[in-house]
Amino acid sequence: MKHNKVGSVMTTDVVRAGYGTPFKEVARLLATHRISGLPVVDEDDKVIGVISETDLVARQAATPEPYEPRRRFALLHGLTRRARRQAAKAHARTAGRLMTEPPVTAHADDTIVEAARTMAQHQVERLPVLDETDRLVGIVTRRDLLQVFLRPDGELRNEVIEDVLVRTLWLPPRSIDVSVVEGVVTLTGHMERKSETEIALSMTRRISGVVGVVDRLTYRPDDAHLRTQEQALHGVADDWLRRV
Protein backbone atom coordinates (compact mmCIF):
# COMPACT_ATOMS: atom_id res chain seq x y z
CA MET A 1 0.00 0.00 0.00
CA LYS A 2 2.21 2.75 -1.31
CA HIS A 3 -0.18 5.53 -0.35
CA ASN A 4 0.10 4.95 3.39
CA LYS A 5 3.81 5.75 3.56
CA VAL A 6 5.31 9.09 4.53
CA GLY A 7 7.40 9.04 1.37
CA SER A 8 4.25 9.30 -0.75
CA VAL A 9 3.13 12.63 0.75
CA MET A 10 6.38 14.34 1.79
CA THR A 11 7.93 17.36 0.05
CA THR A 12 11.30 16.45 -1.43
CA ASP A 13 12.54 19.98 -2.17
CA VAL A 14 13.50 20.82 1.41
CA VAL A 15 14.59 24.27 2.54
CA ARG A 16 17.38 23.69 5.04
CA ALA A 17 20.11 25.44 6.99
CA GLY A 18 23.60 24.49 8.11
CA TYR A 19 24.98 24.77 11.62
CA GLY A 20 26.72 28.04 10.78
CA THR A 21 23.89 29.67 8.83
CA PRO A 22 23.45 33.22 10.22
CA PHE A 23 20.33 34.14 12.18
CA LYS A 24 19.20 36.68 9.59
CA GLU A 25 19.60 34.15 6.78
CA VAL A 26 17.38 31.71 8.67
CA ALA A 27 14.73 34.40 9.06
CA ARG A 28 15.04 35.24 5.35
CA LEU A 29 14.60 31.59 4.34
CA LEU A 30 11.44 31.26 6.42
CA ALA A 31 9.99 34.48 5.04
CA THR A 32 10.96 33.90 1.40
CA HIS A 33 9.61 30.36 1.24
CA ARG A 34 6.62 31.14 3.49
CA ILE A 35 7.34 28.26 5.83
CA SER A 36 7.23 28.10 9.61
CA GLY A 37 10.25 25.89 10.18
CA LEU A 38 13.22 24.11 8.65
CA PRO A 39 15.76 21.39 9.49
CA VAL A 40 19.40 22.04 10.29
CA VAL A 41 21.82 19.56 8.70
CA ASP A 42 25.50 18.73 9.06
CA GLU A 43 28.01 18.27 6.23
CA ASP A 44 26.74 14.72 5.69
CA ASP A 45 23.16 15.91 5.20
CA LYS A 46 22.07 14.40 8.49
CA VAL A 47 19.55 16.34 10.55
CA ILE A 48 21.01 17.71 13.79
CA GLY A 49 18.20 20.03 14.79
CA VAL A 50 15.08 21.92 13.76
CA ILE A 51 14.33 25.65 13.76
CA SER A 52 10.80 27.01 13.92
CA GLU A 53 9.32 30.48 14.00
CA THR A 54 8.85 29.88 17.70
CA ASP A 55 12.62 29.63 18.15
CA LEU A 56 13.12 32.97 16.40
CA VAL A 57 10.41 34.62 18.47
CA ALA A 58 11.84 33.11 21.65
CA ARG A 59 15.23 34.54 20.80
CA GLN A 60 13.80 38.01 20.36
CA ALA A 61 11.67 37.74 23.49
CA ALA A 62 14.64 36.61 25.58
CA THR A 63 16.87 39.44 24.38
CA PRO A 64 17.17 42.04 27.18
CA GLU A 65 16.26 45.64 26.63
CA PRO A 66 19.19 48.07 26.69
CA TYR A 67 18.10 49.48 30.05
CA GLU A 68 17.36 46.11 31.68
CA PRO A 69 19.75 44.91 34.43
CA ARG A 70 22.23 42.33 33.13
CA ARG A 71 22.09 40.23 36.29
CA ARG A 72 18.72 38.80 35.19
CA PHE A 73 20.49 37.05 32.33
CA ALA A 74 23.77 36.35 34.06
CA LEU A 75 22.52 34.06 36.83
CA LEU A 76 21.97 30.90 34.76
CA HIS A 77 23.26 28.31 37.21
CA GLY A 78 19.99 28.26 39.14
CA LEU A 79 17.82 27.73 36.05
CA THR A 80 16.47 24.49 34.68
CA ARG A 81 18.09 22.94 31.62
CA ARG A 82 15.26 24.18 29.42
CA ALA A 83 15.46 27.67 30.86
CA ARG A 84 19.23 27.76 30.33
CA ARG A 85 18.72 26.68 26.74
CA GLN A 86 16.16 29.41 26.17
CA ALA A 87 18.43 31.99 27.77
CA ALA A 88 21.31 30.90 25.52
CA LYS A 89 19.10 31.43 22.47
CA ALA A 90 18.86 35.10 23.39
CA HIS A 91 22.43 35.45 22.13
CA ALA A 92 22.20 32.98 19.23
CA ARG A 93 23.67 34.25 15.98
CA THR A 94 23.66 31.02 13.98
CA ALA A 95 21.26 28.20 13.21
CA GLY A 96 23.31 25.78 15.29
CA ARG A 97 22.90 27.91 18.40
CA LEU A 98 19.26 28.63 17.74
CA MET A 99 17.96 25.18 16.78
CA THR A 100 15.99 22.79 18.94
CA GLU A 101 17.66 19.43 19.48
CA PRO A 102 17.49 16.50 19.30
CA PRO A 103 15.28 16.70 16.20
CA VAL A 104 12.00 14.80 15.96
CA THR A 105 12.05 12.98 12.63
CA ALA A 106 10.32 10.33 10.53
CA HIS A 107 11.51 7.86 7.92
CA ALA A 108 10.18 7.66 4.38
CA ASP A 109 8.99 4.09 5.02
CA ASP A 110 7.03 5.05 8.15
CA THR A 111 3.26 4.93 7.81
CA ILE A 112 1.24 8.10 7.79
CA VAL A 113 -0.42 6.95 11.02
CA GLU A 114 3.00 6.62 12.70
CA ALA A 115 3.99 10.09 11.53
CA ALA A 116 0.74 11.57 12.80
CA ARG A 117 1.27 9.94 16.21
CA THR A 118 4.82 11.30 16.38
CA MET A 119 3.59 14.81 15.61
CA ALA A 120 0.88 14.58 18.25
CA GLN A 121 3.19 13.11 20.88
CA HIS A 122 5.86 15.78 20.43
CA GLN A 123 3.45 18.60 19.56
CA VAL A 124 5.25 19.55 16.36
CA GLU A 125 3.85 20.68 13.02
CA ARG A 126 6.46 19.14 10.70
CA LEU A 127 8.89 16.25 10.57
CA PRO A 128 12.14 16.03 8.60
CA VAL A 129 12.03 12.76 6.66
CA LEU A 130 15.08 10.50 6.53
CA ASP A 131 16.11 7.66 4.23
CA GLU A 132 17.55 4.30 5.27
CA THR A 133 20.95 5.95 5.93
CA ASP A 134 19.35 8.66 8.11
CA ARG A 135 19.99 11.39 5.55
CA LEU A 136 17.45 14.11 4.85
CA VAL A 137 15.22 13.31 1.85
CA GLY A 138 12.09 15.31 2.55
CA ILE A 139 9.82 17.02 5.01
CA VAL A 140 6.22 16.28 5.94
CA THR A 141 3.71 18.62 7.56
CA ARG A 142 0.32 18.16 9.16
CA ARG A 143 -1.25 19.49 5.99
CA ASP A 144 0.58 16.85 3.94
CA LEU A 145 -0.82 14.09 6.14
CA LEU A 146 -4.35 15.41 5.68
CA GLN A 147 -3.99 15.32 1.88
CA VAL A 148 -4.63 11.56 1.89
CA PHE A 149 -8.29 12.22 2.71
CA LEU A 150 -8.63 13.99 -0.65
CA ARG A 151 -8.02 10.76 -2.58
CA PRO A 152 -10.89 10.02 -5.03
CA ASP A 153 -13.35 7.28 -4.12
CA GLY A 154 -12.51 5.39 -7.31
CA GLU A 155 -8.82 5.31 -6.37
CA LEU A 156 -9.64 3.95 -2.93
CA ARG A 157 -11.92 1.29 -4.44
CA ASN A 158 -9.18 0.12 -6.80
CA GLU A 159 -6.69 -0.16 -3.95
CA VAL A 160 -9.08 -2.25 -1.85
CA ILE A 161 -9.68 -4.63 -4.76
CA GLU A 162 -6.08 -4.93 -5.93
CA ASP A 163 -4.11 -4.82 -2.67
CA VAL A 164 -6.54 -6.40 -0.22
CA LEU A 165 -8.73 -8.83 -2.14
CA VAL A 166 -6.48 -9.93 -5.00
CA ARG A 167 -2.88 -9.67 -3.79
CA THR A 168 -3.39 -10.55 -0.12
CA LEU A 169 -6.43 -12.82 -0.03
CA TRP A 170 -6.02 -14.23 -3.56
CA LEU A 171 -9.67 -13.67 -4.36
CA PRO A 172 -11.16 -12.96 -7.81
CA PRO A 173 -11.56 -9.18 -8.33
CA ARG A 174 -15.37 -9.35 -8.43
CA SER A 175 -15.88 -11.93 -5.69
CA ILE A 176 -16.60 -9.17 -3.16
CA ASP A 177 -18.56 -6.03 -3.96
CA VAL A 178 -16.61 -2.90 -3.03
CA SER A 179 -18.31 0.49 -3.01
CA VAL A 180 -16.84 3.77 -1.78
CA VAL A 181 -18.80 6.94 -1.03
CA GLU A 182 -17.07 9.98 0.46
CA GLY A 183 -14.22 7.80 1.69
CA VAL A 184 -16.49 5.24 3.41
CA VAL A 185 -15.87 1.73 2.07
CA THR A 186 -18.64 -0.89 2.08
CA LEU A 187 -17.63 -4.53 1.64
CA THR A 188 -20.45 -6.88 0.64
CA GLY A 189 -20.26 -10.59 -0.13
CA HIS A 190 -19.41 -14.06 1.14
CA MET A 191 -16.02 -15.37 2.21
CA GLU A 192 -15.01 -18.90 3.07
CA ARG A 193 -13.44 -18.09 6.41
CA LYS A 194 -13.99 -15.65 9.25
CA SER A 195 -10.26 -14.94 9.34
CA GLU A 196 -10.45 -13.66 5.76
CA THR A 197 -13.14 -11.17 6.69
CA GLU A 198 -11.02 -9.92 9.59
CA ILE A 199 -8.06 -9.39 7.27
CA ALA A 200 -10.16 -7.62 4.66
CA LEU A 201 -11.69 -5.26 7.19
CA SER A 202 -8.45 -4.52 9.02
CA MET A 203 -6.41 -3.87 5.88
CA THR A 204 -9.13 -1.69 4.38
CA ARG A 205 -9.26 0.47 7.51
CA ARG A 206 -5.50 1.02 7.23
CA ILE A 207 -5.62 2.37 3.69
CA SER A 208 -4.75 6.06 3.66
CA GLY A 209 -7.80 8.15 2.89
CA VAL A 210 -10.38 5.64 4.12
CA VAL A 211 -12.75 7.41 6.50
CA GLY A 212 -14.65 4.31 7.62
CA VAL A 213 -15.54 0.73 6.70
CA VAL A 214 -19.02 -0.81 6.60
CA ASP A 215 -18.96 -4.59 7.13
CA ARG A 216 -21.54 -6.55 5.13
CA LEU A 217 -19.45 -9.68 4.78
CA THR A 218 -20.60 -13.19 5.60
CA TYR A 219 -18.52 -16.32 6.07
CA ARG A 220 -18.79 -20.04 6.66
CA PRO A 221 -19.77 -20.58 10.32
CA ASP A 222 -17.10 -23.16 11.16
CA ASP A 223 -13.62 -22.72 9.72
CA ALA A 224 -11.73 -24.27 12.63
CA HIS A 225 -11.13 -27.62 10.87
CA LEU A 226 -9.03 -26.83 7.84
CA ARG A 227 -7.29 -29.34 5.66
CA THR A 228 -3.52 -29.08 5.31
CA GLN A 229 -3.89 -28.05 1.69
CA GLU A 230 -6.21 -25.17 2.64
CA GLN A 231 -3.78 -24.00 5.31
CA ALA A 232 -0.98 -23.84 2.76
CA LEU A 233 -3.19 -22.00 0.31
CA HIS A 234 -4.03 -19.30 2.82
CA GLY A 235 -0.61 -19.17 4.49
CA VAL A 236 0.13 -15.63 3.35
CA ALA A 237 -3.16 -14.33 4.69
CA ASP A 238 -2.66 -16.12 8.01
CA ASP A 239 0.80 -14.60 8.42
CA TRP A 240 -0.63 -11.14 7.84
CA LEU A 241 -3.46 -11.76 10.33
CA ARG A 242 -1.00 -12.66 13.07
CA ARG A 243 0.66 -9.28 12.60
CA VAL A 244 -2.57 -7.35 12.87
Side-chain angles (χ1 to χ4, degrees):
M1 297 183 183
K2 58 182 181 298
H3 296 289
N4 69 351
K5 300 295 185 180
V6 170
S8 68
V9 297
M10 70 182 184
T11 298
T12 56
D13 185 14
V14 187
V15 179
R16 66 195 74 187
Y19 187 91
T21 301
F23 173 90
K24 283 195 173 182
E25 175 64 12
V26 172
R28 186 191 68 79
L29 288 171
L30 294 179
T32 300
H33 295 277
R34 298 182 179 181
I35 54 178
S36 59
L38 51 78
V40 181
V41 298
D42 61 15
E43 296 178 355
D44 200 28
D45 227 20
K46 293 189 176 181
V47 182
I48 56 177
V50 175
I51 294 178
S52 68
E53 289 177 331
T54 302
D55 292 318
L56 272 69
V57 172
R59 181 211 189 269
Q60 294 303 97
T63 303
E65 298 289 346
Y67 54 82
E68 197 168 7
R70 294 181 60 84
R71 60 182 178 84
R72 178 180 173 184
F73 297 90
L75 301 177
L76 300 180
H77 63 277
L79 300 178
T80 64
R81 180 179 179 183
R82 181 178 180 181
R84 287 197 301 271
R85 186 183 305 152
Q86 291 300 110
K89 286 185 178 183
H91 306 284
R93 296 182 179 179
T94 63
R97 295 286 186 175
L98 186 64
M99 68 186 184
T100 297
E101 55 180 328
V104 181
T105 62
H107 280 81
D109 285 337
D110 289 347
T111 66
I112 289 175
V113 172
E114 290 171 336
R117 287 174 179 169
T118 299
M119 283 187 182
Q121 179 181 356
H122 295 276
Q123 298 182 337
V124 296
E125 296 182 359
R126 73 198 59 79
L127 296 173
V129 183
L130 315 179
D131 63 12
E132 62 276 3
T133 63
D134 288 337
R135 288 181 172 82
L136 181 67
V137 292
I139 195 163
V140 66
T141 66
R142 290 180 180 179
R143 181 175 297 179
D144 294 328
L145 300 185
L146 292 176
Q147 290 298 314
V148 298
F149 291 106
L150 301 180
R151 295 180 64 194
D153 288 341
E155 185 177 314
L156 294 175
R157 181 177 182 274
N158 290 338
E159 186 165 344
V160 173
I161 294 173
E162 294 174 9
D163 287 358
V164 178
L165 301 181
V166 177
R167 296 178 185 174
T168 300
L169 294 174
W170 302 348
L171 298 175
R174 297 182 181 180
S175 60
I176 299 297
D177 180 70
V178 180
S179 64
V180 185
V181 179
E182 295 295 325
V184 178
V185 181
T186 300
L187 301 177
T188 307
H190 178 78
M191 289 185 168
E192 287 299 311
R193 303 192 300 169
K194 179 182 179 181
S195 56
E196 288 179 333
T197 68
E198 293 172 347
I199 292 172
L201 295 171
S202 182
M203 289 190 70
T204 300
R205 292 189 186 102
R206 296 186 181 199
I207 292 177
S208 297
V210 169
V211 177
V213 179
V214 177
D215 177 14
R216 292 180 180 171
L217 297 172
T218 59
Y219 52 87
R220 189 171 61 189
D222 183 9
D223 63 356
H225 304 289
L226 298 174
R227 294 176 299 177
T228 304
Q229 186 176 4
E230 289 178 322
Q231 289 177 326
L233 178 63
H234 294 282
V236 174
D238 289 337
D239 288 340
W240 195 94
L241 181 61
R242 284 193 290 269
R243 297 195 297 269
V244 174

